Amino acid sequence: MPDLRIQDIRVTPIAFYDPPLLNNAGCHEPFALRSIIEVETEDGVIGLGESYGVQEMIAALNELAPHLVGMSVTNISGLRARAAQVVCGETTGYSGQEGLLPRVIGAIEVAMWDALGKATGQRVVDLLGGQVREDVPFAAYLFYKFKSHAGQTATDPWGEVLTPEQLVGEAQKMVDQFGFRALKLKGGILPVEDEMAGLEALHAAFPDAPLRIDPNGGWHVHTALNLLPRLTGMIEYLEDPTLGIEANAVVQAATEIPLATNMYVVAEKHLPPAIRQDAFRVILSDHHYWGGLMASRHLARICEIWGLSLGMHSNSHLGISLAAMTHLAAATPNLTYDCDTHYPWQTDEVIEGGKDAFRFENGCLTVPEGPGLGVTLDRSELKRLHQNYLDCGILTRNDRAEMQKHQPDWQFARPRY
Amino acid sequence: MPDLRIQDIRVTPIAFYDPPLLNNAGCHEPFALRSIIEVETEDGVIGLGESYGVQEMIAALNELAPHLVGMSVTNISGLRARAAQVVCGETTGYSGQEGLLPRVIGAIEVAMWDALGKATGQRVVDLLGGQVREDVPFAAYLFYKFKSHAGQTATDPWGEVLTPEQLVGEAQKMVDQFGFRALKLKGGILPVEDEMAGLEALHAAFPDAPLRIDPNGGWHVHTALNLLPRLTGMIEYLEDPTLGIEANAVVQAATEIPLATNMYVVAEKHLPPAIRQDAFRVILSDHHYWGGLMASRHLARICEIWGLSLGMHSNSHLGISLAAMTHLAAATPNLTYDCDTHYPWQTDEVIEGGKDAFRFENGCLTVPEGPGLGVTLDRSELKRLHQNYLDCGILTRNDRAEMQKHQPDWQFARPRY
């Protein structure tokens, strides 16, 4: 029988190229940060995890790691308990310790599942309760974007996207390459009429595509209420139109369009008030901030019990995260909507097989073959991307400051319109 | 790597001796029924489950079993889906199909966990997320009872218990034998003043023991409200004092005593209304009716998120159920109260080691050693108890009819007082 005790945990921060994508908080920097977690058992089996790479996260992971040595990779409760003792957390970022803790737990928990799967010959999807779908559908994640990063002359491969025509071009390219069915527009950036023109252009060009818009809390309640008649019948859900649970509840009460969130129900403590106020009809889950795969299975069951729909959120990520998302989605019976993924925007990869390891067919992925998550580290790429991290000088994420490099007088505002 | 596909499922109904215990619905019959489930994998590993043994349950298990052949023992979602297709259920018993379905799922799911554990060398407690406590505390489950079964002259070993003095004697015997700390009184049977006298006698004899009383919905709201001042400070929780979610919410609003339930929050669909109405502060979980161990882990997480306390309910059961309850309780961080168990009332056993297989120390059990649930079938006892089942002629549970053998004019009433 395998010895499942943890003998070592390694955390490697990496940086990979990210395009100048726009959101309500600013602009993506030239590099996105990520942490790669390796949990090695006494038998030498290595489980992989991938999560956020900002300084606070790397520090917390490194602080926690030695406290987990000797624990079984099955011991999720032990991980949670020790993380709660060790992770103090700054009050900056991630809404403080309360936000950092589930992120740290989730990062390591995924690697523990991968190790358990590899040690016992089981796929993670099976350990999570069994596969309920062969194909896991993902959506095109459409962004407004600048042509180049600030101070750079090189044009990003996806070019400038600021007009309805450019937006339809970006969507067409994504649909052609990946076969996505659903289209999600990141909003809350341009004036509302410009974004509505973009959305209407997408609807005209892709009349059968389920559409979504995510203003990231960027609209006032009155703006959202005024737009509801035009959005009704055009979008499948409206994501975080305005700020907070209370204000979104006002919008939800006024419309048959389901409101979705990945901003205001992002931890277990948000569920009781959000459910009590009927603020959202769709929870966009994310195992990276929800505390891992088992916590995400609990969340899915909660959504089923309370009649909430379920989708999946993403940040900029590489293949270990994509594998974990795919296993989780394949194990989740009540996944209602096609999952979000930033994956098409990324050009680097840290797993063997590179960007060819995952093949989207009609917007869908199948669960990787092989035990655990079914992916293995490309150590030369890990080394290169870690060097990127050391060289790029970025230690946290600051979309606001990056935006101000493009437009010095730009100010953050939420709601903005 | 182990071949975890199910090659066979066997369901054996058994009957074992049960004392003439009283409750609001009547009297226990001379035999309690149970089903023993064996899930055998392609490798010949046998996972064990134990659940209800009434006719409807045995029929449903036997109907479902062949539909699960070929499925992996990890595939809980597959089990749930196939059970939902196959288990039609009568509208009698268990509140119809909605009650039968999770019971069937739970019965087989436990055996699947046991098989997975045995095949991979892991204990079920570890597969459920890890052990959070060494000792699992159980409570003394005190019953009013008749001296003998109807029409029989043989005195049951525990004798008659109908007076406060007899009740204290029963409690003393249980505490002496098992070391239980908490004492639970099954109520809703005798006139309220008689049961209060019993409770006050217990409190006087065991002043440090956390007390509970469970009238099984047998009191009117006004009765419960009138008793609250006398119960306050004497009991740790009040279980199902009156009928239904709405009426119990009225009682809960009037007292600081936590109300507990195993009658009105017994399925996932009861959680939203019970939580909305703040009807109970303690959920008494039971993997047998809640849909299994994973569903019970989900329930525990829900209790933690919504700030509900958690205990564990039991019916008459043998050692496979006790093992499963112990693994689950040992894996549940937020278990608030000592678990219920009928185990001291049972004299028969179906696992190797018999009644010596479990040793209560200070009212606690440790998790059985060995992979899976850590228990194995005693096949000669299984055969004997199955013969009991064939001989006893009991096919369902009818406490009401049994009570009328003792007292022909007895009528069921809930609330009664």
Side-chain angles (χ1 to χ4, degrees):
Chain A
M1 294 304 171
D3 186 342
L4 298 177
R5 286 173 302 158
I6 294 169
Q7 75 155 269
D8 190 29
I9 296 182
R10 293 179 290 279
V11 178
T12 309
I14 62 169
F16 51 82
Y17 176 73
D18 206 25
L21 308 178
L22 299 176
N23 61 53
N24 172 266
C27 179
H28 284 210
E29 294 162 275
F31 289 96
L33 307 183
R34 215 71 177 149
S35 52
I36 303 300
I37 295 96
E38 297 172 74
V39 169
E40 185 165 355
T41 71
E42 286 288 344
D43 286 343
V45 171
I46 295 173
L48 300 176
E50 176 192 335
S51 191
Y52 309 95
V54 298
Q55 199 166 20
E56 185 184 13
M57 182 79 182
I58 301 296
L61 287 167
N62 279 320
E63 196 175 352
L64 176 59
H67 296 273
L68 303 175
V69 171
M71 211 180 73
S72 167
V73 296
T74 57
N75 196 356
I76 296 169
S77 291
L79 164 65
R80 294 179 69 95
R82 292 188 200 183
Q85 290 163 350
V86 172
V87 176
C88 296
E90 300 297 319
T91 50
T92 58
Y94 299 143
S95 345
Q97 190 258 2
E98 287 183 349
L100 182 60
L101 186 57
R103 284 166 167 81
V104 169
I105 292 168
I108 293 175
E109 192 237 28
V110 171
M112 287 164 59
W113 283 109
D114 187 34
L116 176 63
K118 283 174 174 160
T120 59
Q122 306 302 316
R123 300 180 305 167
V124 169
V125 66
D126 295 317
L127 296 173
L128 294 177
Q131 184 167 1
V132 295
R133 59 178 58 82
E134 289 298 316
D135 297 313
V136 173
F138 289 86
Y141 204 149
L142 307 176
F143 280 86
Y144 292 110
K145 65 185 291 295
F146 291 134
K147 184 179 170 188
S148 309
H149 278 293
Q152 298 186 4
T153 51
T155 301
D156 175 84
W158 291 81
E160 179 184 85
V161 181
L162 293 170
T163 69
E165 296 69 30
Q166 289 169 329
L167 186 63
V168 168
E170 179 186 284
Q172 190 64 59
K173 193 171 160 186
M174 280 235 180
V175 168
D176 290 347
Q177 279 189 36
F178 300 94
F180 295 125
R181 194 181 68 95
L183 308 176
K184 164 174 170 168
L185 175 59
K186 179 65 95 181
I189 304 146
L190 306 181
V192 166
E193 279 306 322
D194 293 349
E195 293 189 359
M196 285 301 291
L199 203 59
E200 283 159 356
L202 288 171
H203 186 49
F206 305 93
D208 298 329
L211 290 180
R212 316 160 182 179
I213 183 165
D214 172 15
N216 273 129
W219 295 347
H220 290 284
V221 171
H222 63 83
T223 304
L225 292 175
N226 286 338
L227 290 173
L228 290 176
R230 290 165 70 185
L231 293 168
T232 302
M234 184 165 66
I235 61 173
E236 60 174 348
Y237 65 67
L238 175 58
E239 183 175 342
D240 291 314
T242 191
L243 197 70
I245 289 174
E246 289 77 5
N248 278 293
V250 172
V251 178
Q252 182 65 86
T255 180
E256 70 193 45
I257 303 171
L259 259 59
T261 185
N262 83 290
M263 291 178 70
Y264 305 115
V265 183
V266 296
E268 291 177 337
K269 68 174 178 177
H270 302 139
L271 284 166
I275 286 176
R276 196 167 54 238
Q277 297 175 56
D278 191 21
F280 301 100
R281 303 271 161 81
V282 186
I283 305 297
L284 301 174
S285 73
D286 185 328
H287 73 266
H288 301 91
Y289 62 66
W290 203 265
L293 300 174
M294 186 44 61
S296 300
R297 294 290 293 114
H298 293 320
L299 172 62
R301 199 79 204 136
I302 288 168
C303 287
E304 188 153 332
I305 293 171
W306 268 271
L308 297 169
S309 296
L310 191 64
M312 194 181 281
H313 165 262
S314 98
N315 284 115
S316 305
H317 66 89
L318 299 185
I320 300 170
S321 280
L322 186 60
M325 292 160 69
T326 304
H327 279 268
L328 176 60
T332 303
N334 56 323
L335 181 74
T336 324
Y337 295 102
D338 299 358
C339 302
D340 286 348
T341 178
H342 285 64
Y343 199 67
W345 295 107
Q346 264 66 69
T347 44
D348 294 311
E349 191 41 286
V350 75
I351 60 169
E352 282 186 11
K355 295 294 286 185
D356 293 330
F358 290 97
R359 293 292 190 134
F360 288 86
E361 296 272 354
N362 299 317
C364 295
L365 289 179
T366 54
V367 175
E369 289 177 18
L373 292 173
V375 295
T376 47
L377 263 184
D378 181 330
R379 295 203 173 269
S380 68
E381 283 302 296
L382 179 68
K383 193 174 169 187
R384 183 179 71 80
L385 295 176
H386 177 59
Q387 192 61 47
N388 265 358
Y389 173 83
L390 298 175
D391 294 343
C392 76
I394 299 173
L395 289 173
T396 187
R397 178 177 170 176
N398 194 337
D399 289 18
R400 189 183 306 199
E402 185 68 18
M403 188 68 168
Q404 288 166 341
K405 294 180 190 169
H406 294 270
Q407 301 177 356
D409 59 347
W410 187 88
Q411 292 297 326
F412 173 72
R414 181 178 290 164
R416 175 178 297 280
Y417 297 109
Chain B
M1 293 304 172
D3 185 342
L4 297 177
R5 286 173 304 158
I6 294 169
Q7 74 155 272
D8 191 28
I9 296 182
R10 293 179 291 279
V11 179
T12 308
I14 62 171
F16 52 82
Y17 177 73
D18 206 22
L21 308 178
L22 299 176
N23 61 53
N24 173 265
C27 179
H28 284 211
E29 295 162 276
F31 289 95
L33 307 182
R34 216 70 180 150
S35 52
I36 302 300
I37 296 97
E38 298 173 74
V39 169
E40 184 166 356
T41 71
E42 286 287 345
D43 285 344
V45 172
I46 295 174
L48 300 176
E50 175 192 336
S51 190
Y52 309 96
V54 298
Q55 199 166 20
E56 186 184 13
M57 182 79 183
I58 302 295
L61 287 167
N62 278 319
E63 196 175 351
L64 176 59
H67 296 274
L68 303 176
V69 170
M71 212 180 74
S72 168
V73 296
T74 57
N75 196 356
I76 296 168
S77 291
L79 164 65
R80 294 179 69 94
R82 291 187 201 182
Q85 290 163 351
V86 172
V87 177
C88 296
E90 301 298 320
T91 51
T92 59
Y94 300 143
S95 344
Q97 190 259 0
E98 286 183 349
L100 183 60
L101 185 57
R103 283 167 168 79
V104 170
I105 292 168
I108 294 176
E109 192 238 29
V110 172
M112 288 164 60
W113 283 110
D114 186 35
L116 175 63
K118 284 173 173 159
T120 58
Q122 305 302 316
R123 299 181 305 168
V124 168
V125 65
D126 294 317
L127 296 173
L128 294 177
Q131 185 168 0
V132 295
R133 59 177 57 79
E134 289 298 317
D135 297 313
V136 174
F138 288 86
Y141 203 150
L142 306 177
F143 281 85
Y144 292 111
K145 65 185 291 295
F146 292 134
K147 183 180 168 188
S148 310
H149 278 293
Q152 297 186 6
T153 51
T155 302
D156 175 83
W158 291 79
E160 179 185 82
V161 180
L162 292 171
T163 68
E165 295 69 29
Q166 291 169 328
L167 186 62
V168 169
E170 179 185 284
Q172 190 64 58
K173 194 170 161 187
M174 280 233 179
V175 168
D176 289 346
Q177 280 189 36
F178 300 94
F180 294 125
R181 192 180 68 96
L183 308 177
K184 165 174 170 168
L185 175 59
K186 179 65 95 180
I189 303 146
L190 305 182
V192 166
E193 280 306 322
D194 293 348
E195 293 190 358
M196 286 301 291
L199 203 58
E200 283 158 355
L202 289 171
H203 185 50
F206 306 92
D208 297 330
L211 290 181
R212 317 160 181 177
I213 182 165
D214 172 16
N216 273 130
W219 294 346
H220 290 283
V221 170
H222 62 84
T223 305
L225 291 175
N226 286 339
L227 291 174
L228 290 176
R230 289 166 68 186
L231 293 168
T232 301
M234 184 165 63
I235 60 173
E236 61 173 346
Y237 63 67
L238 175 58
E239 183 174 341
D240 291 316
T242 191
L243 198 69
I245 289 173
E246 289 77 4
N248 278 293
V250 173
V251 178
Q252 182 65 88
T255 181
E256 70 194 45
I257 302 171
L259 259 59
T261 185
N262 83 290
M263 291 179 69
Y264 305 115
V265 182
V266 295
E268 291 175 339
K269 68 174 178 177
H270 302 140
L271 285 166
I275 285 175
R276 196 167 55 238
Q277 296 174 57
D278 191 20
F280 301 100
R281 302 272 161 80
V282 186
I283 305 298
L284 301 174
S285 74
D286 184 329
H287 73 268
H288 301 91
Y289 63 65
W290 203 264
L293 301 175
M294 186 43 61
S296 299
R297 295 291 293 113
H298 293 321
L299 172 62
R301 199 80 203 135
I302 288 168
C303 287
E304 187 154 335
I305 293 170
W306 268 272
L308 297 169
S309 297
L310 189 66
M312 194 181 280
H313 165 262
S314 99
N315 284 114
S316 304
H317 66 89
L318 300 185
I320 300 170
S321 280
L322 186 59
M325 292 160 68
T326 304
H327 278 269
L328 177 60
T332 302
N334 55 323
L335 181 73
T336 323
Y337 295 102
D338 299 359
C339 302
D340 286 348
T341 178
H342 285 64
Y343 198 67
W345 295 107
Q346 265 66 70
T347 44
D348 294 312
E349 190 42 286
V350 75
I351 59 169
E352 283 186 11
K355 294 295 285 185
D356 293 330
F358 290 96
R359 294 290 189 135
F360 289 85
E361 298 272 354
N362 299 317
C364 295
L365 290 179
T366 54
V367 175
E369 289 177 18
L373 291 174
V375 295
T376 49
L377 263 183
D378 180 330
R379 294 201 174 271
S380 69
E381 284 302 297
L382 179 69
K383 194 175 169 187
R384 183 178 72 80
L385 296 175
H386 178 59
Q387 192 61 47
N388 264 359
Y389 173 83
L390 298 174
D391 296 343
C392 75
I394 299 172
L395 289 173
T396 187
R397 176 177 171 175
N398 195 337
D399 290 16
R400 189 182 310 198
E402 186 67 18
M403 187 68 168
Q404 288 165 342
K405 294 180 191 170
H406 294 271
Q407 302 178 353
D409 59 347
W410 188 86
Q411 293 298 326
F412 173 73
R414 180 177 292 163
R416 175 178 296 280
Y417 298 108

